[in-house]
Amino acid sequence: MIGGLFIYNHKGEVLISRVYRDDIGYVAQRSFMVTSCIKPATLFNVNLFVCRRNAVDAFRVNVIHARQQVRSPVTNIARTSFFHVKRSNIWLAAVTKQNVNAAMVFEFLYKMCDVMTAYFGKISEENIKNNFVLIYELLDEILDFGYPQNSETGALKTFITQQGIKGQTKEEQSQITSQVTGQIGWRREGIKYRRNELFLDVLESVNLLMSPQGQVLSAHVSGRVVMKSYLSGMPECKFGMNDKIVIDKQGKGGDLYAFCCSGKQSIAIDDCTFHQCVRLSKFDSERSISFIPPDGEYELMRYRTTKDIILPFRVIPLVREVGRTKLEVKVVIKSNFKPSLLAQKIEVRIPTPLNTSGVQVICMKGKAKYKASENAIVWKIKRMAGMKESQISAEIELLPTNDKKKWARPPISMNFEVPFAPSGLKVRYLKVFESKLNYSDHDVIKWVRYIGRSGIYETRC
Amino acid sequence: MTDSKYFTTNKKGEIFELKAELNNEKKEKRKEAVKKVIAAMTVGKDVSSLFPDVVNCMQTDNLELKKLVYLYLMNYAKNQPDMAIMAVNSFVKDCEDPNPLIRALAVRTMGCIRVDKITEYLCEPLRKCLKDEDPYVRKTAAVCVAKLHDINAQMVEDQGFLDSLRDLIADSNPMVVANAVAALSEISESHPNSNLLDLNPQNINKLLTALNECTEWGQIFILDCLSNYNPKDEREAQSICERVTPRLSHANSAVVLSAVKVLMKFLELLPKDSDYYNTLLKKLSPPLVTLLSGEPEVQYVALRNINLIVQKRPEILKQEIKVFFVKYNDPIYVKLEKLDIMIRLASQANIAQVLAELKEYATEVDVDFVRKAVRAIGRCAIKVEQSAERCVSTLLDLIQTKVNYVVQEAIVVIRDIFRKYPNKYESIIATLCENLDSLDEPDARAAMIWIVGEYAERIDNADELLESFLEGFHDESTQVQLTLLTAIVKLFLKKPSETQELVQQVLSLATQDSDNPDLRDRGYIYWRLLSTDPVTAKEVVLSEKPLISEETDLIEPTLLDELICHIGSLASVYHKPPNAFVEGSHGIHRKHLPVIDTGESPVSSGPAANIEQTHVIPSQGDLLGDLLNLDLGPRSTCPRCPPCRWGLWTLTVLIACNSVLLLQVWLPAVKAKGLEISGTFTRRQGQMYMDMTFTNKALQHMTDFAVQFNKNSFGVIPTSPLPVHTPLMPNQNIELSLPLNTIGPVMKMDPLNNLQVAVKNNIDVFYFSVLIPLNIFFVEDGKMERQVFLATWKDIPNENELQYQIKECHLNADTVSGKLQNSNIYTIAKRNVEGQDMLYQSLKLTNGIWILAELRIQPGNPNYTAKSTFLRMSFALSNILL
């Protein structure tokens, strides 16, 4: 299991160090004692210290200060494994000497970041220093002897506060513990709202890799259903969407809606994953999504589709090399959705060679600029309706070089936001049942919106 | 209020100031001071001298302060064991606190203080906490047992904490169950043979129930534990799989991977033609693909695992090659792994797409990545023959770019393509030669030299080219020197007239001026070959080379199986077994894939069963017992049991029934670095043979086989060396028959028919032991004279007599007699007493021992009664036998 957890700043200075197991640095300690032939007892004070620092320092020297780009997120230095993730310029490293579950260690580090963000916002050196006592307290709670424990912020916030927990009654205490260890660790009892409301966001990012000839090399949508729930009590929820498997099944059973949209409007979901509140076994057997939601904002599910994706934009590049010192670039973008809808925040990024000396751009719509520091022409359009077309042309002048290596021609990438789900996903219902309190499904105010964003949306040129 | 101020210090006298503050009367001040101490500790300052002062602050009702003091204690208690005792009382008191959070905190912290004296005081509070009414305290106590075990394993056992921990598996709270499982799993890793976890169907059921209810982390602990369970049959395996499959939709990638591990292991147990097997395979693919849309670090872990899965079961992801296409913004470690998997999935169906991608990658920036992409193009050519031509032209295009490292890498792979498809693409040699000057890496230089030497007859200026390399001979790496030597010798054999001088030059450089023994030896060999017999030299040096295999850098099958058992863990990321990077007792226990236990195919069965098999040794090794161990069960019980257990009659009857005795695996591949030996003993025309099949399951070829026996009860030795003359190539097998005789040295073995064998090859020496079926020792002249038989029968004392019943054998006297005679058991006389057939039989062993038997057959009653006795004729074994 995890032997220790360290947080470093960008210089490699330790901000947080929590050692759970002695084995990290233990051998270094032993061999040091043997080689120095001094009475172990006298050395002990220094030593224990020295070796823990060893693990800490090894990571700094080998990873943070390494000149090269990071070659692997797992590094083995002197039989000790370091797992690290980086958030802005802060490094989080978990250290172990055992054959741990690697996926779990990374998931834990991500979770650790989430928890810290939920408590004090952005993960920065300043915030970490300002909250180091809190971080130690959290680390003590969510990692015991290297075993991750309940790390749901909702539950943690009930008893890890910076105010101390003096004023609790016995009932409150046992409520906390049963929540932390209980089956529904993500929601506490006794939540009350005057207005029961929930917000459902279907957020999709559409990814595309297209060949210069317009052939789709790979395309997929990775979507998330994010829910903000402000519901009283312990509501039981049921979520439905136009999942092909469900629709086909129900279509036969005579469900009217299902019948209407069977075939054309249902979508094939390649795979989906759920927040831990969703009853997976029920999904597996009946494909129904039922759960007791956490309070506030959380991600209900993630999904991935690859079939029948609506590609909101098509990029048609044309690059011509005119002699050794000139490039002519023409890029056409076409929007491909209902004319009544508007795409926003459109940005096309056309890479330019490193030896570019000057660029002249002409575009029909929006603004385009050559950014020398980014080696790219950035073309921005605020809004664009569906079924439209726009074009940019540029002349790039190059400095003559004797560099034999050809320019790598990175792909043209695109960013945008559209008010529909490119996968075609539709929310059919979200039903809320709370038997103990006197509100029904009809009393809950529900909001649904769809946002489609570009993920990695690239066209090779 | 911010805490960052504690990090700023005022250098000198800091410790003294802190000391004063820690003893301040005001609570708030003391808390501030402890915070400063912790901050100092974090940045690596030694604040151990403040120990007594900090411990003084422990008696407080402020939970935040208490936690800080505990944190300090955990760090420094080991340095000040005597002082740490001061804290014990406070811990014990806290363990009785009405607030469960404080009870848990106390027991959690106490376990982290690794001081023997404290540990003693920990036992009582821990015992109470394990039975606490509050689940939060129980789940903390469960982990504490693991902590205590790490400090003092003996104490944990003596105090019965392991039993308490086992009881917690049945706890009503899922998190307590999960932590108990985690603790037990870790403890059992250091006792590989103890059955600590006691995984029985009932417990498994409890775990599966808890799986649905506990936190994501708990699910990981439980799934990892489940993967160590060996279901007893396919039905159980399937029902566990059914309950694990929903986990594939979990948002936590570690849960998904651990579920994949369980499923991959249990798939081994499901019949391949069943519907469920195929549905399960289909279900595995989408979650694996989804893992690739996670954060880059998790993607990396997933890709390393997918690399294993693709090698083990390529069918799962064969349709999904597109998701492994590299994205421009992927971190380099993700790109490199994706590339690896792309090659593994490349096939005729998708090769066009793959090649287009690879060509794209070969123009990227990162040198390692580009090199790997170029190498990948070469591997495609070797793997998919139809694409070879396209690959070669792509490589030529890349060479035209003149980017140094691209050219070099391309030349290295082109050499491999030449070896795979000889006499097909040599037209491009001219282009390659143009780039001779730009090659500065040993690999590329060696490859180029090899090409020039191999095709010297088609390159007009081959001698000039090679001569140009010769100038700086001593500065070259050994690899280049050796290749150059061989290349020039090849050139000489092809064009002897013009290159005499050159060859002499290189031979003298290699033999006289070099310090490298390899190079000198090779030089001398060539020199002598050339000077004594040029024709033979030509045959040797220009002999046809074996083709190179299609798949390169595959993981050895036995290692692969082990790594599959470690999916999700570090071992699967490093692609190394845990004992390669874990010290101490953890991870020494090697894991194996489960094996179907239907007994259908004893030869091809996997590693786990084989190991068990070789360990089945009959209880007592007394010749009488062995000889007459006549427990003739129904034939279908267990064809895998070593023959010896069946005893004499059984075996002979069995042999008579099916003339071919099944081959048994004697030496499983896991134990012998890839060599698998299976075999059996037979007797043909008065001669004993050991019939064996050697299978090479490693990735390298095997040569230099030899065999030796230890001294044994019958003096069995091989009469000739192992008849293996050609190297055994990977995945090849060879059947051979080793003649034996019994003139070797004799030593009593236990059991008597035990034979210890050592087999050697170029890799290592391997040992195994087998039980020789006794019937092969029955000699042909075992028929005793009637008179002698009668006299001897009377002479044998009663204590030498044994009786056995043979059940369910429906044969009549004549058939039995006939069948037994085939195995050299002769019927001397037959009589009918009160409706029962009595057969009197004799047999003789190779060492001269006679065995006499009486067989009673009751018609209508399928019972045989064998009465047997034997006479001491051989003094060599006499004392052993009585």
Side-chain angles (χ1 to χ4, degrees), chain A residues 15 21-22 71 81 99-100 102 107 110 130 136-137 141 144 147 149 151 177 271 273-274 304 460, chain B residues 4 42 67 75 78 114 134 136 147 179 186 217 249 253 286 290 295 297 357 368 568 570-571 574:
Chain A
L15 303 178
R21 295 184 176 219
D22 278 357
R71 300 312 273 196
S81 300
N99 181 29
V100 296
E107 285 288 347
Y110 300 149
N130 282 343
Y136 277 123
E137 203 175 331
E141 185 58 44
D144 191 2
Y147 291 110
Q149 305 291 306
S151 44
T177 57
D271 188 36
T273 59
F274 295 99
R304 185 167 50 81
R460 289 181 179 158
Chain B
S4 57
T42 302
K67 282 183 179 172
N75 262 296
K78 224 177 168 180
R114 306 172 59 91
D134 194 293
Y136 183 75
K147 294 177 187 170
N179 276 4
E186 178 164 353
W217 315 116
S249 310
S253 65
T290 299
E295 305 247 7
E297 291 86 5
E357 281 294 308
D368 281 350
L570 258 184
Y574 293 147

Side-chain angles (χ1 to χ4, degrees), chain B residues 794-825:
Chain B
K794 281 178 198 154
D795 283 352
I796 300 172
N798 279 341
E799 59 263 35
N800 279 6
E801 190 175 295
L802 276 170
Q803 291 208 6
Y804 282 90
Q805 279 229 317
I806 306 169
K807 286 181 186 129
E808 293 177 38
C809 197
H810 308 267
L811 296 168
N812 68 30
D814 289 337
T815 20
V816 169
S817 160
K819 284 188 170 171
L820 292 181
Q821 183 147 353
N822 287 340
S823 301
N824 298 340
I825 301 169

